[in-house]
Amino acid sequence: MKAQVIAVFTGAVAISVFAGGLNTNTNQSIGYLRNVARYATTDNDAPIFNPAGTAFMEDGWHLSLNSQAFWQTRTIYTDSPLFGGEKKFEGKAQIPAMPSLLATWHRGDLAISGYFGITGGGGKLDYKKGIPSFEAAIAQIPGLLTQNGLPTSDYEAELSLKGTSYIFGFGLGASYRINEMLSAYLGAKFSYAINHYEGKLKNVQVNPKNEQLGLDGEMVNAAKKFNQLSETLANYAEQAADGAQKAAAAAKQYAAAGDLENASIYEKKANELKKSAEEYTVKSKTFETVAEQVSDKELDVEQSGWGITPVVGLSFKYKRLTAGIKFEYNTSIEMENDTKVNEVGLKNFDDGVKDDNDIPASVYMGISYALLDNFRISVGYGHWFDSYADLPGQQEKHSDGTNEFLGGIEADLFERWTVSGGIQVTRYNLSDSYMSDMSIILDNITIGGGFAFRAKDWIKLNVGYFHSIYDDWKEKETYGKNTYKRTSRGIGIGADLDF
């Protein structure tokens, strides 16, 4: 039972709540919210989407200031006999502010650009009542006790699981316009990753029934009661062992006196008491073990690590056509534990233990074309080489790589208004072995839209809305059948400044 009760702590809750790869957030500007196909842009958010395109900007400074807010849920419906049918588990994540800053300085054929943003993870995911695998370990206790001669039909427990994950990205590089149509970019990204996981198991209660042990079927604190029973049975074992010794001594005395009948009777009694002592000892240790397993447990561990990513890119611009391509190399990150509490007995959460958590290499391509002076269409494609990265728990073995397909339109209305919309289709290509109630990564279609208003020649205000529609995922676990669902919506405001 011990492995079942604490195994729920072996994974890490996936907290990536935005668009992009398994642990990459591509929504780094409000321009992206209102038109996701940004990989060929030469606007102020080009430093992260099409960094080579910054070489085609006008001379001067170009800034993009952005803040986004997101609301998400992860819901698990579990159909299990342990729960008496279907039970709902829900985790909520709310991110009140996700800031990003992008900047470009352009002079002649040269542009130097950089950015800061939350490029992976973001926010806290809180399962206030735990998750199925967490509760299933506790829900098995009544059956296990019943099988061991202690009829039990119900349980209660206070369960919770929280996970926080952030990857802060700092990018810097330079682009150069080779000729009127072609530019190249060389740069790097510094990533600092931090995860924080908290798990709690408290006040496990069961309702065992056994008149001999003084149990009447009422709910009792499992750890406290089983410790009491362990002490009681240990006393029984001691008394039986003492009786066995006395009976054995009496048998020897009768045998020495030639009273073989009484000697046989006391020898038999000694053997019976010895056997009872052994049985009581086994039961005492069993209850002691169970008491330890259902005692209050807590996990509080913070992990951190960093890595540097080389980035290269090319951009092409000819009349109404703009194209861009960017390649980010694999980012090798090794996370190290800073453990405050580890009462679950798992060494991988001990203080100082390290584990891989790479950001997979990725490639981004986009094309934008102005059908009219005031109307543009754009398409894009992104791919993450997940299977070539070193991910926690060797999850890379269960992924064939993430693909995203993007499309968008944008129209200038009147003199200062721009409206836009876009759609993104993300396919993660994961196997059942990757998916779990701790890592719910679902294929999705995301729709974004919004507008921009140029208040002055040097300032443009952006407003966007982002809504993701996820595919359900069903899988069979040892304890039952899970159906995973997600929801996500977000809004953002920002300003582009040119001077």
Side-chain angles (χ1 to χ4, degrees), residues 236-248 273 277:
Y236 288 168
E238 185 177 349
Q239 293 171 11
D242 183 58
Q245 289 179 350
K246 291 179 179 179
L273 288 171

Side-chain angles (χ1 to χ4, degrees), residues 429-444:
N429 299 311
L430 304 174
S431 69
D432 281 339
S433 298
Y434 184 98
M435 198 69 62
S436 73
D437 54 6
M438 284 193 168
S439 184
I440 303 176
I441 307 294
L442 302 178
D443 292 346
N444 62 85

Side-chain angles (χ1 to χ4, degrees), residues 181-196:
M181 294 185 293
L182 185 65
S183 63
Y185 172 85
L186 178 63
K189 178 178 67 175
F190 173 82
S191 297
Y192 179 75
I194 183 168
N195 301 326
H196 187 197

Side-chain angles (χ1 to χ4, degrees), residues 110-373:
L110 176 68
I112 298 175
S113 62
Y115 61 86
F116 163 77
I118 300 173
T119 54
K124 176 185 288 187
L125 181 61
D126 188 358
Y127 285 95
K128 293 184 180 298
K129 297 185 178 180
I131 55 180
S133 60
F134 203 156
E135 184 160 341
I138 307 301
Q140 294 179 54
I141 293 176
L144 293 170
L145 293 174
T146 300
Q147 292 172 16
N148 286 277
L150 194 63
T152 307
S153 61
D154 201 6
Y155 71 94
E156 294 178 359
E158 296 176 23
L159 310 171
S160 66
L161 187 63
K162 298 179 183 178
T164 305
S165 177
Y166 289 97
I167 300 178
F168 299 99
F170 306 83
L172 183 64
S175 61
Y176 185 77
R177 186 168 55 190
I178 300 170
N179 55 44
E180 293 299 318
M181 294 185 293
L182 185 65
S183 63
Y185 172 85
L186 178 63
K189 178 178 67 175
F190 173 82
S191 297
Y192 179 75
I194 183 168
N195 301 326
H196 187 197
Y197 303 113
E198 297 177 84
K200 292 183 180 180
L201 168 64
K202 297 177 60 178
N203 194 26
V204 177
Q205 298 189 51
V206 292
N207 65 337
K209 192 172 184 179
N210 186 300
E211 293 183 6
Q212 183 180 358
L213 298 175
L215 301 171
D216 58 6
E218 295 294 323
M219 282 291 186
V220 295
N221 182 279
K224 182 178 180 180
K225 179 56 65 176
F226 291 155
N227 274 321
Q228 291 174 350
L229 291 175
S230 176
E231 292 177 4
T232 300
L233 291 168
N235 289 332
Y236 288 168
E238 185 177 349
Q239 293 171 11
D242 183 58
Q245 289 179 350
K246 291 179 179 179
K252 288 181 179 180
Q253 291 176 355
Y254 280 115
D259 189 345
L260 298 181
E261 182 178 354
N262 277 320
S264 176
I265 291 173
Y266 276 95
E267 183 177 357
K268 182 179 180 180
K269 184 177 181 180
N271 289 333
E272 290 175 348
L273 288 171
K274 183 179 179 180
K275 183 178 180 180
S276 294
E278 292 174 348
E279 291 176 350
Y280 282 134
T281 298
V282 171
K283 289 182 179 180
S284 174
K285 291 186 178 298
T286 298
F287 279 118
E288 182 182 13
T289 300
V290 173
E292 190 279 328
Q293 293 162 6
V294 298
S295 63
D296 291 356
K297 299 187 188 308
E298 184 176 352
L299 175 71
D300 187 349
V301 57
E302 188 173 282
Q303 304 169 331
S304 60
W306 60 273
I308 296 177
T309 313
V311 182
V312 295
L314 292 172
S315 187
F316 176 84
K317 185 176 179 63
Y318 178 71
K319 294 184 178 180
R320 295 177 179 269
L321 176 69
T322 304
I325 182 170
K326 180 183 71 166
F327 180 78
E328 295 191 359
Y329 288 80
N330 185 84
T331 310
S332 179
I333 296 180
E334 189 175 61
M335 306 292 283
E336 182 175 357
N337 290 349
D338 178 8
T339 305
K340 297 177 177 62
V341 181
N342 180 11
E343 297 174 340
V344 301
L346 295 174
K347 292 184 178 180
N348 56 307
F349 287 119
D350 286 347
D351 190 53
V353 172
K354 298 179 180 180
D355 193 15
D356 294 320
N357 188 31
D358 290 0
I359 301 174
S362 53
V363 62
Y364 311 87
M365 297 176 282
I367 296 175
S368 179
Y369 186 76
L371 294 174
L372 301 171
D373 290 341

